[in-house]
Amino acid sequence: MIKGCSILTMVHGDKPFVGDLLIEGGRITNIATSIDQQVDTVIDGKDMVAMPGLINAHNHASMSLLRAFSDDLKLMDWLDKKMLPAEARMTKEDIYWGTMLGAAEMIASGTTAFADMYVQMDAVAQAVVDSGMRAALTRGLVFLEDDGGRRMIEALDLIDNWTGAGNGRITTMLGPHAPYTCPPQPLTEVIELARSRRIPLHIHLAETLEEVEKIRTRYHQTPTEYLHELGIFSDTHVLLAHAVHLTTDDVRLLRGMRGGVSHNPVSNLKLGCGITPVRKMLSQGVTVGLGTDGAGSATTLDMFAEVKAATWLQKLDSGDPTVLPAEQALRMATIESAKLLGIDAEVGTLEVGKRADLILIDLNKPHLWPVHDLYSLIAYSATGADVDTTIVNGQILMRKRQLLSMSWEEVRREALHRSARLVEGL
């Protein structure tokens, strides 16, 4: 039982209120102004805000080992001269410990679930199980060279072996990397497989102008038109990452799609990619959630930074301070991202019957006092460091800022010597 906390359910139309929240068997079983029941554990919620855990809709968690290694570079220099050579040195064990480092940061900053696309996904999945987090996992698929079908075998092994693992905390997707790395034939085959097996898709889209130009040169289309013509938006749940460079016609092609877009504003800002047309997508009914991208580009996995960047960018871009208000931005980081991962029936809001994925934010700090509007305070002032408690599936992963599901000293030690080897000489 969490007693006497301010509760943000993130259910549309609900107002914040002070009350109690009861968790039994991994689920929320009661939310009320007062609950009189004997329980095993009581958490004092005085000066705390309970809200759904944040959901990172696009990440490459193991890239945490490459945080702040290649900043302030042009995109292609960052990728070709730094990131790809370092990633080429990664072993399966590096990817496990990089994901554990990312999980530690996410848990400590209030993220309870994330969508991840990478390689050696068995290692990522094991880290998810060990850390106690929730995740939608994808083996990235690049079809620029013939590998004898190895990538597809690994992608399907991930789906067959890990879906439902960790007491149901792991879900899976198919991950064609991006339009410019997936020619029509193999991409069509992946789409058909996803449709026949009812597997969601996770794909990068129009992150950079370079990608747009490549697709236009090859196919005389925009990347969105290319995907649309291949049928990716027909009867398939699709998680689109970035979607920065979309025309007005592109946005119309997304109307009615299942799934939606992960907006990753910090990474896009830091790499100078551009401003995602969030307002246009929302006006067409497209679901838009929030993600960080990998720490190799974004540097931080703090989803509170994404909330701020998302709303401020849209206000600046439109010249209208009323655009994307605080409550809507917080919904993007919770229930809207849950929709992208296909887990909104279980998490994303605080409701009786849903899984107990939630966080407690400590308001007893100068920058979070006084409280006039709780949505505005959390969206515009809170940071990940203000999270006191993180709970996933009813299990306490962090309490009073202490990680409980892993040894921080072990993660720190492994990350230090592994990251040093990865970047040596680069």
Side-chain angles (χ1 to χ4, degrees):
M1 179 116 63
I2 303 171
K3 294 285 292 183
C5 56
S6 297
I7 298 175
L8 291 182
T9 68
M10 299 315 301
V11 174
H12 187 64
D14 279 6
K15 302 296 184 184
F17 68 96
V18 176
D20 302 343
L21 189 147
L22 184 64
I23 298 169
E24 298 177 278
R27 293 188 181 272
I28 300 169
T29 58
N30 198 359
I31 305 174
T33 54
S34 180
I35 301 172
D36 183 16
Q37 181 173 328
Q38 289 294 111
V39 296
D40 299 315
T41 304
V42 175
I43 294 176
D44 183 3
K46 185 177 184 295
D47 292 333
M48 299 281 184
V49 174
M51 67 176 290
L54 307 185
I55 297 173
N56 187 337
H58 180 65
N59 195 2
H60 314 287
S62 58
M63 291 178 72
S64 297
L65 293 177
L66 303 176
R67 181 198 322 278
F69 151 64
S70 57
D71 288 337
D72 305 324
L73 296 174
K74 290 185 179 296
L75 178 65
M76 297 317 295
D77 287 341
W78 169 83
L79 186 64
D80 292 338
K81 296 179 181 179
K82 296 286 188 175
M83 201 55 53
L84 290 178
E87 286 185 299
R89 296 175 177 177
M90 277 192 176
T91 66
K92 189 171 184 177
E93 291 73 23
D94 294 333
I95 289 171
Y96 172 83
W97 287 108
T99 304
M100 287 296 284
L101 177 62
E105 181 184 0
M106 286 187 278
I107 292 167
S109 56
T111 292
T112 53
F114 65 104
D116 200 271
M117 177 192 291
Y118 214 62
V119 298
Q120 300 277 15
M121 291 303 292
D122 284 353
V124 176
Q126 189 61 57
V128 172
V129 170
D130 294 347
S131 69
M133 291 194 72
R134 190 180 305 278
L137 303 181
T138 306
R139 202 290 187 200
L141 297 168
V142 173
F143 296 108
L144 294 180
E145 59 186 33
D146 185 6
D147 68 344
R150 176 181 58 82
R151 293 184 183 90
M152 275 302 303
I153 291 171
E154 292 177 2
L156 293 174
D157 282 348
L158 172 71
I159 292 167
D160 292 338
N161 297 332
W162 289 97
T163 301
N167 294 319
R169 290 183 283 109
I170 291 180
T171 55
T172 54
M173 298 183 175
L174 278 169
H177 172 260
Y180 70 97
T181 56
C182 296
Q185 181 178 342
L187 181 52
T188 299
E189 291 173 358
V190 172
I191 293 169
E192 289 300 324
L193 179 62
R195 184 175 294 122
S196 65
R197 290 189 55 174
R198 298 190 176 277
I199 302 169
L201 291 165
H202 184 175
I203 185 170
H204 296 81
L205 174 66
E207 180 179 2
T208 66
L209 286 173
E210 289 91 342
E211 175 189 341
V212 174
E213 288 307 310
K214 284 180 181 179
I215 296 299
R216 191 174 297 282
T217 299
R218 292 177 193 170
Y219 309 114
H220 309 290
Q221 296 173 306
T222 67
T224 309
E225 290 169 339
Y226 173 74
L227 293 184
H228 183 267
E229 186 172 283
L230 295 179
I232 198 170
F233 304 124
S234 300
D235 195 35
T236 308
H237 182 105
V238 184
L239 168 51
L240 299 170
H242 299 290
V244 176
H245 298 286
L246 269 59
T247 67
T248 299
D249 287 340
D250 287 338
V251 174
R252 292 195 188 101
L253 293 178
L254 303 183
R255 185 169 50 197
M257 70 172 292
R258 295 173 56 189
V261 171
S262 173
H263 177 35
N264 313 302
V266 172
S267 175
N268 294 157
L269 277 164
K270 195 158 169 286
L271 291 174
C273 293
I275 301 175
T276 300
V278 171
R279 301 186 315 282
K280 289 183 179 179
M281 290 191 285
L282 293 175
S283 72
Q284 296 295 321
V286 177
T287 299
V288 181
L290 290 177
T292 60
D293 209 358
S297 59
T299 307
T300 177
L301 301 182
D302 185 349
M303 283 286 290
F304 287 99
E306 304 295 337
V307 169
K308 293 175 182 62
T311 180
W312 292 343
L313 266 177
Q314 296 305 308
K315 294 177 191 299
L316 176 65
D317 192 44
S318 65
D320 182 355
T322 69
V323 166
L324 204 64
E327 181 180 356
Q328 187 175 15
L330 288 174
R331 283 179 57 82
M332 288 170 64
T334 52
I335 185 60
E336 301 305 310
S337 283
K339 292 175 184 176
L340 299 185
L341 272 62
I343 57 176
D344 51 300
E346 294 277 43
V347 299
T349 55
L350 300 185
E351 297 181 76
V352 171
K354 280 199 168 184
R355 291 286 176 184
D357 287 19
L358 59 101
I359 59 176
L360 294 178
I361 299 170
D362 182 4
L363 294 181
N364 192 21
K365 298 182 178 183
H367 66 285
L368 295 175
W369 205 259
V371 179
H372 295 294
D373 183 295
L374 203 49
Y375 290 116
S376 290
L377 189 70
I378 299 303
Y380 300 138
S381 293
T383 73
D386 299 320
V387 177
D388 175 89
T389 300
T390 301
I391 299 172
V392 175
N393 232 29
Q395 300 298 310
I396 301 174
L397 305 187
M398 182 178 75
R399 180 77 181 106
K400 296 186 181 299
R401 300 293 303 160
Q402 297 299 308
L403 293 170
L404 302 179
S405 62
M406 65 180 77
S407 164
W408 165 239
E409 285 305 314
E410 183 182 21
V411 173
R412 182 176 182 271
R413 182 174 62 250
E414 291 286 347
L416 181 64
H417 81 80
R418 291 176 185 280
S419 62
R421 190 192 80 253
L422 295 178
V423 305
E424 185 177 5
L426 295 178

